Amino acid sequence: MKPLCQLFGETSRRALEDPHLQVALRGLDGRLRVQRDNAFEELPNGEELRDEARAIREHTLAHLDRYLVEFEENFTSLGGVVHWAGDAAAARGIIQEIARVGKVKRIVKGKSMVSEEIGLNKALEAQGLEVVETDLGEFIIQVAGEPPSHLVAPAVHKTRAGITELFNDALGAPRMEDPEALTLFARKILQEKFLQADMGITGANFTVARTGGVVLLENEGNIRLSTTIPRIHVAVTGIEKVVPTWSELAVLLKLLPRSATGQKLSSYVSIFLGPGRQEEPDGAEEFHLVLLDNGRSRILKDPALRESLRCIRCGACLNTCPVYLKAGGHAWGWVYSGPIGSVLTPQLLEDRRSASGLPFASTLCGACFGVCPVRMDIPRILTELRRRFAQDPAWGPAPKRERGLFGLAGFTMGHHHLFNGAGEAARRLMPVLRRVLPLMRQRSGVSDLSAPSFRTIMRKPRDEKND
Amino acid sequence: MQAHVFIPCLVDQVRPQTGFATLRLLNYLGVRTLYTPSQVCCGQPFYKSGYLKEARRLARKTILNFRGGLPVIAPSGSCVRMIRDYYEGLFADDPVWRNRAADLAGRVYELSEFLVRVLKVEEIPSRFSGRVTFHDSCQVKRGLGIFEEPRLLLTHIPGVELEEMKRSDECCGFGGIFSAKYPHIAEAIARDKIGNAAATGAGVLSGCEISCLIHLEGCARATGTRIRTLHLAEILASGL
Amino acid sequence: MTDRELVLSRIRKALGHPREDPAAAADRRAGLSRAIETLPGDLVKQFARECEAQAVHVYSAGNPLEAGEILSGILSRLRVERVFAGRDDILEEEGIRSRIRSSQVVDLTPAEDSRDRDTLFALAARADMGITGVDWALADTGTLVLISNPGRSRSASLLPRVHTAIVRESRILRSLDDLIPLLPQGSCEARGKASNVTLITGPSKTADIELILVRGVHGPAEVHVIVIREAKPE
């Protein structure tokens, strides 16, 4: 999808005026966030687990090449094929080729943010292939032609009335606003698609280096179906998703479902050890795993930002972010939204500058840091990204006018007479300023505009000084 | 004992009464307060916006202004956090200034933290009365770990009825430069907060961070909500 | 330069000098696991409790014959007409297979050497209920562990609207941590074994529409588990 991050202000403004979206966002807050908190309250040693998870991710990243090579060896010895993709175009090309060689016509897909990141669907459709999203939320937005608005619940912004309308228009469904009926309708359509598909494309939550294992979590069952029925399974995932052994996997499996939805475990955890064996009745005959770089190794190189790669895509930060809960996911204009969206988008996009507003779409409140299972210090990362955009020529720098303003402000505030003088003047001009500068209208929290400043009063020769 | 008082920019220019309350309060408790009118901004707005050069300049001035080893007390969580957690990092490549920064970081205190943890005072004979609800600013609670201290102080005032609001530690939506870049979101977040505060029936919304209070006051006025904001210092110093 | 070489070289350059090797992590984690394990107690009770929390129906049987009776009860209560079963040992027990082969239901379970995938899936899709054994079960999350094998199609616990699993008490483990050492520890070991281990916790579900919970999206809407409380030598 074409990134539209620079429209954050505009899109969020519209989001605030969308009552249905606001109800949906309050739902995320009231349900997923609360469920996550409850799950961690019940979990003994939850804090230690998070420390452990952080250590696991840091360790893995520090030895990433070793673990990826180990995974490749083991996955290959199980009969799978590993493909390395330097960037999105390479990844698309690889998967297109697999489809071509496999004489694939129909594809079913599990939810994969990475596949959206590389614009996979469009490329495959251009090749004349049918690509059907099978995760209910992804199916809905595919039919609607919209991007996902949340990591875990991609269609959370849509109402049942909207979905009814959509299904009726696009799929000839009868009008039935009941979520259960809508789901059943989708199930029927999709079951046919599973049975006829030649290839299943999924992401991967984790790859296990020691055994060549590939792990996928889900609640619906569409990933199981996409990897049981079609002959070919293609999993596409970021290079950072590897874990050393089952032991590390177990720690992350305790944290991921709880962080995402408050569940102890997802309905289905599928652990693949290569393609289906000859003697097994089902499972894919061919199993391809595409390891995607697409800017991740560049993040790895940067010690101040490497932490960004710890993410295990749970979505907890979205559900707890006061800004996300008002602006909604579409405001971020790309695949990843919320706090992690502000962290990754400026680092992954070719055109970084278009994402320069995202690190500022945060009050740096730290609520995200408080729930992140791998203890990513998101406020610190966002502050660093702000610095890059303001001062680093490779990222910005900020427009001359802004730099000038900050330079002037810095100078003024560093000289107390100037600062005080400016303050006195501004307060006197406040009624005028308010009419002229919209942002000043907010400042009606100021109690008494005509009173002199603390400093001014303290400087008076009267004895308010305590020395 | 003697101590510096560090008055945040917004208190200085917009709510001087908070500054005076701070002085009254500390003086009452026997602290001889030193205010240097030449003090400048701690540099936080520049640091948070990515302008490190400017932040460093202000940090150096601040460090020099408060040199001498005395404790520095500020009625502000964010300024204290800036100094305590971020000053050293500003001088990563400069050992001399880094040491000076570390020295200052070791003796800077937020007001309620100073009262409760250093002076070991919880009971202040404030004459304030009324129902109060308390906002836990992000820099104060998550940043500095201060949560109990303001409550200990408030609940020891006989006239104060402390009523906790729902999600007292939820961000108020100000976020400094955030509210300049995305004011509509800042306002929307504040509305939730004011709603929660008003639901307690409190006439006063208090906190340790003046920027939050000013932002929330603005929202209360814009929505016609009958609640006013008062910094903790002003409640504590009432009648002193 | 292939993409593989390119990506690996970028990573190696990014990492610069070598880091420590964390063998100590294993010990630390073992300690953490022990601490997390819930209080000792009846595993079956805990398993049942966790299953119920997932809206899974749990039944207790003293022996395979009783289990068969319970199965019959479920079949008639749900008005099941067609079943699809895995060829698991437990289902061959006296008293259980006979229930499946009885006149009550049509057994769509494919013959031993049927390798026709399309037929397999079509049959499973037509069934009202899938019946399987399990390889393991996890008490602390109410989870069924199914390891793929030649005799059991994965679709048995996936395509029909109802899945019934029969579990021997001795196969119930305390938690995921106890399952880990039972999995293949390396690819050499895995090569000769199963290609898939599936952990099933409750029915298929989604909250994608207005965050309202709906069961039975793509997988089973109902899960029934019959636990046979009889120690059986392995």
Side-chain angles (χ1 to χ4, degrees):
Chain A
M1 55 179 283
K2 181 175 182 297
L4 294 170
C5 335
Q6 64 276 22
L7 298 181
F8 185 92
E10 193 183 309
T11 312
S12 59
R13 221 175 295 266
R14 268 182 285 130
L16 284 172
E17 285 155 21
D18 180 346
H20 298 300
L21 176 61
Q22 293 301 314
V23 168
L25 293 171
R26 273 199 289 280
L28 284 174
D29 182 10
R31 272 179 248 229
L32 293 192
R33 177 184 184 176
V34 171
Q35 281 160 206
R36 177 259 165 219
D37 288 345
N38 290 343
F40 272 86
E41 204 136 306
E42 274 179 35
L43 179 66
N45 298 338
E47 296 308 302
E48 285 91 330
L49 269 177
R50 289 169 70 191
D51 291 333
E52 190 61 40
R54 170 203 165 151
I56 288 170
R57 298 296 289 139
E58 280 297 307
H59 165 72
T60 312
L61 292 171
H63 300 268
L64 195 60
D65 57 328
R66 185 182 108 198
Y67 286 119
L68 286 174
V69 171
E70 191 183 352
F71 171 76
E72 178 188 45
E73 273 163 24
N74 288 311
F75 187 72
T76 307
S77 87
L78 290 173
V81 185
V82 175
H83 307 261
W84 300 72
D87 58 22
R92 291 193 297 266
I94 288 164
I95 299 172
Q96 283 174 313
E97 183 63 12
I98 296 171
R100 193 189 65 77
V101 170
K103 298 198 176 43
V104 169
K105 291 207 171 54
R106 285 173 290 261
I107 298 174
V108 284
K109 271 190 77 211
K111 179 157 65 74
S112 159
M113 291 297 148
V114 165
S115 73
E116 311 239 13
E117 186 187 321
I118 64 176
L120 183 60
N121 290 12
K122 246 199 178 140
L124 294 170
E125 281 159 358
Q127 215 180 329
L129 301 172
E130 177 192 79
V131 182
V132 180
E133 292 287 348
T134 61
D135 171 273
L136 181 62
E138 287 286 335
F139 175 68
I140 291 168
I141 60 176
Q142 181 180 43
V143 176
E146 290 171 27
S149 70
H150 189 276
L151 268 184
V152 167
V156 73
H157 58 288
K158 300 199 83 63
T159 60
R160 65 183 90 178
I163 298 168
T164 297
E165 184 87 39
L166 180 69
F167 281 5
N168 179 254
D169 277 341
L171 305 169
R175 289 191 173 276
M176 50 190 162
E177 289 201 11
D178 177 38
E180 204 160 321
L182 288 167
T183 303
L184 221 61
F185 179 80
R187 177 195 166 107
K188 279 208 190 72
I189 293 184
L190 291 170
Q191 192 172 84
E192 266 316 296
K193 298 294 180 185
F194 288 121
L195 293 170
Q196 293 178 7
D198 313 296
M199 175 151 100
I201 300 180
T202 66
N205 292 92
F206 302 107
T207 48
V208 185
R210 178 73 53 81
T211 54
V214 178
V215 185
L216 277 110
L217 279 69
E218 58 165 333
N219 283 312
E220 295 183 15
N222 59 307
I223 290 177
R224 286 181 67 196
L225 284 167
S226 303
T227 56
T228 299
I229 297 176
R231 298 174 280 117
I232 304 175
H233 174 197
V234 175
V236 55
T237 189
I239 50 176
E240 81 280 24
K241 295 297 207 59
V242 63
V243 297
T245 73
W246 298 129
S247 165
E248 287 79 15
L249 175 71
V251 173
L252 296 174
L253 284 182
K254 291 190 180 103
L255 293 172
L256 176 49
R258 284 180 168 97
S259 302
T261 56
Q263 291 173 270
K264 287 190 186 170
L265 207 53
S266 315
S267 293
Y268 306 116
V269 179
S270 298
I271 302 175
F272 297 94
L273 288 156
R277 306 278 182 269
Q278 267 272 27
E279 57 279 10
E280 289 170 355
D282 45 30
E285 288 161 9
E286 267 177 62
F287 189 5
H288 299 261
L289 191 111
V290 181
L291 290 170
L292 179 72
D293 183 347
N294 205 28
R296 287 155 174 75
S297 60
R298 196 177 56 218
I299 300 177
L300 192 66
K301 187 151 89 173
D302 199 324
L305 296 174
R306 179 184 300 181
E307 195 177 333
S308 314
L309 294 176
R310 281 192 216 155
C311 181
I312 58 174
R313 307 286 192 270
C314 69
C317 57
L318 276 68
N319 300 333
T320 204
C321 175
V323 178
Y324 174 87
L325 291 173
K326 288 276 173 276
H330 286 163
W332 269 261
W334 200 43
V335 181
Y336 305 107
S337 57
I340 193 61
S342 298
V343 165
L344 291 177
T345 309
Q347 299 188 66
L348 290 178
L349 279 189
E350 283 275 2
D351 178 15
R352 275 189 185 137
R353 277 196 208 204
S354 66
S356 62
L358 294 184
F360 291 90
S362 164
T363 59
L364 301 181
C365 76
C368 50
F369 185 20
V371 297
C372 178
V374 291
R375 301 218 192 269
M376 204 188 307
D377 189 345
I378 296 174
R380 185 196 67 75
I381 297 174
L382 294 179
T383 307
E384 176 61 27
L385 290 175
R386 291 179 182 189
R387 188 187 73 74
R388 304 277 172 116
F389 280 119
Q391 304 189 308
D392 189 331
W395 292 67
K400 257 210 182 106
R401 208 184 76 172
E402 186 186 292
R403 279 182 290 143
L405 227 68
F406 274 94
L408 181 62
F411 182 79
T412 307
M413 292 176 84
H415 294 82
H416 58 98
H417 284 297
L418 260 179
F419 171 62
N420 202 33
E424 298 280 359
R427 284 204 307 289
R428 235 152 269 159
L429 289 171
M430 191 58 88
V432 177
L433 283 175
R434 222 179 255 150
R435 250 170 277 146
V436 169
L437 297 173
L439 83 87
M440 286 286 142
R441 265 180 231 132
Q442 254 198 94
R443 303 289 176 267
S444 60
V446 172
S447 326
D448 183 356
L449 292 171
S450 60
S453 69
F454 181 88
R455 202 183 301 254
T456 301
I457 298 171
M458 289 297 276
R459 278 209 181 100
K460 293 201 175 107
R462 300 196 297 117
D463 69 314
E464 214 98 346
K465 271 198 216 171
N466 305 275
D467 212 331
Chain B
M1 78 167 352
Q2 252 198 318
H4 280 287
V5 175
F6 184 22
I7 301 295
C9 308
L10 280 176
V11 170
D12 174 26
Q13 295 295 320
V14 170
R15 288 237 184 147
Q17 61 269 42
T18 301
F20 291 118
T22 303
L23 292 180
R24 264 199 331 273
L25 182 58
L26 289 170
N27 293 161
Y28 174 85
L29 293 170
V31 177
R32 279 178 47 224
T33 54
L34 264 166
Y35 171 71
T36 47
S38 56
Q39 60 185 240
V40 296
C41 174
C42 66
Q44 187 198 170
F46 300 90
Y47 176 73
K48 298 259 172 84
S49 304
Y51 289 90
L52 258 50
K53 207 169 58 188
E54 286 78 2
R56 241 175 244 125
R57 232 182 261 137
L58 292 165
R60 278 191 210 106
K61 291 197 173 187
T62 302
I63 289 169
L64 287 175
N65 188 67
F66 293 118
R67 68 188 182 287
L70 291 178
V72 178
I73 308 165
S76 157
S78 60
C79 302
V80 170
R81 190 177 186 204
M82 179 68 206
I83 297 171
R84 195 179 280 175
D85 287 352
Y86 303 126
Y87 262 25
E88 275 181 76
L90 281 175
F91 303 105
D93 300 325
D94 187 339
V96 174
W97 278 103
R98 199 170 62 238
N99 284 333
R100 291 180 182 154
D103 165 70
L104 179 59
R107 54 186 166 87
V108 66
Y109 302 93
E110 184 275 331
L111 180 63
S112 69
E113 147 186 75
F114 186 77
L115 293 175
V116 173
R117 296 197 210 158
V118 178
L119 292 184
K120 308 266 197 271
V121 166
E122 286 172 20
E123 228 173 289
I124 298 187
S126 153
R127 301 250 192 87
F128 190 88
S129 83
R131 186 181 287 185
V132 174
T133 189
F134 195 81
H135 164 58
D136 295 298
S137 304
C138 305
Q139 303 305 319
V140 175
K141 186 182 180 215
R142 289 193 196 103
L144 297 173
I146 295 168
F147 175 77
E148 296 295 346
E149 294 80 349
R151 286 166 171 79
L152 282 167
L153 294 164
L154 283 171
T155 48
H156 275 103
I157 302 173
V160 165
E161 189 197 333
L162 179 63
E163 189 74 33
E164 297 285 0
M165 70 169 113
K166 212 170 70 150
R167 296 260 181 90
S168 66
D169 61 355
E170 189 85 339
C171 184
C172 71
F174 178 63
I177 190 162
F178 173 78
S179 59
K181 293 212 175 204
Y182 305 112
H184 49 293
I185 307 178
E187 279 162 34
I189 296 172
R191 273 198 296 273
D192 280 359
K193 200 75 212 203
I194 284 294
N196 287 345
T200 64
V204 169
L205 166 59
S206 186
C208 290
E209 189 61 41
I210 208 70
S211 52
C212 302
L213 297 178
I214 292 174
H215 178 64
L216 290 170
E217 174 101 27
C219 176
R221 292 195 190 174
T223 56
T225 310
R226 301 190 57 163
I227 194 167
R228 63 181 173 121
T229 61
L230 217 51
H231 191 282
L232 180 68
E234 293 180 64
I235 294 180
L236 294 175
S238 173
L240 290 184
Chain C
M1 213 187 213
T2 63
D3 268 27
R4 180 184 189 276
E5 283 157 17
L6 184 65
V7 172
L8 278 174
S9 82
R10 281 185 201 158
I11 294 173
R12 284 172 181 141
K13 244 184 242 158
L15 293 175
H17 48 275
R19 314 269 149 140
E20 35 42 50
D21 203 85
D27 269 340
R28 193 175 60 236
R29 217 163 288 139
L32 212 55
S33 296
R34 276 194 293 276
I36 284 159
E37 266 155 46
T38 44
L39 309 158
D42 190 335
L43 277 180
V44 176
K45 276 217 185 79
Q46 192 192 6
F47 176 68
R49 208 171 45 235
E50 291 299 327
C51 282
E52 271 148 23
Q54 296 300 318
V56 169
H57 308 270
V58 190
Y59 315 82
S60 180
N63 53 60
L65 272 160
E66 263 183 59
E69 274 165 37
I70 294 170
L71 179 60
S72 256
I74 301 173
L75 288 169
S76 55
R77 201 172 63 244
L78 297 181
R79 286 192 261 255
V80 171
E81 288 173 5
R82 295 173 296 268
V83 300
F84 184 95
R87 269 193 322 282
D88 295 316
D89 286 346
I90 189 123
L91 300 182
E92 297 306 321
E93 286 282 342
E94 196 184 315
I96 296 184
R97 184 52 82 173
S98 56
R99 304 289 177 165
I100 301 173
R101 293 212 183 99
S102 79
S103 55
Q104 255 191 297
V105 293
V106 174
D107 181 7
L108 298 176
T109 310
E112 176 92 42
D113 40 25
S114 148
R115 283 277 163 262
D116 182 354
R117 290 163 69 101
D118 290 336
T119 309
L120 196 68
F121 299 135
L123 287 172
R126 276 183 58 215
D128 305 309
M129 179 191 285
I131 309 177
T132 70
V134 304
D135 291 89
W136 302 102
L138 307 180
D140 73 348
T141 47
T143 299
L144 308 171
V145 182
L146 274 72
I147 300 178
S148 62
N149 72 59
R152 187 212 290 136
S153 167
R154 292 185 219 171
S155 58
S157 61
L158 183 55
L159 281 168
R161 288 288 281 168
V162 183
H163 171 213
T164 298
I166 306 185
V167 179
R168 274 189 239 268
E169 179 178 357
S170 56
R171 303 304 278 187
I172 302 179
L173 303 169
R174 186 165 295 286
S175 76
L176 191 62
D177 297 310
D178 298 300
L179 179 67
I180 299 289
L182 301 171
L183 298 174
Q185 297 304 304
S187 65
C188 294
E189 208 191 312
R191 227 175 317 160
K193 297 194 175 153
S195 70
N196 175 278
V197 178
T198 300
L199 277 60
I200 298 174
T201 309
S204 144
K205 47 192 172 276
T206 185
D208 274 341
I209 299 178
E210 291 189 9
L211 293 178
I212 292 168
L213 187 67
V214 174
R215 299 205 173 97
V217 196
H218 299 291
E222 263 184 64
V223 179
H224 298 258
V225 177
I226 305 172
V227 179
I228 301 181
R229 303 197 69 143
E230 181 184 66
K232 194 148 175 84
E234 276 304 314

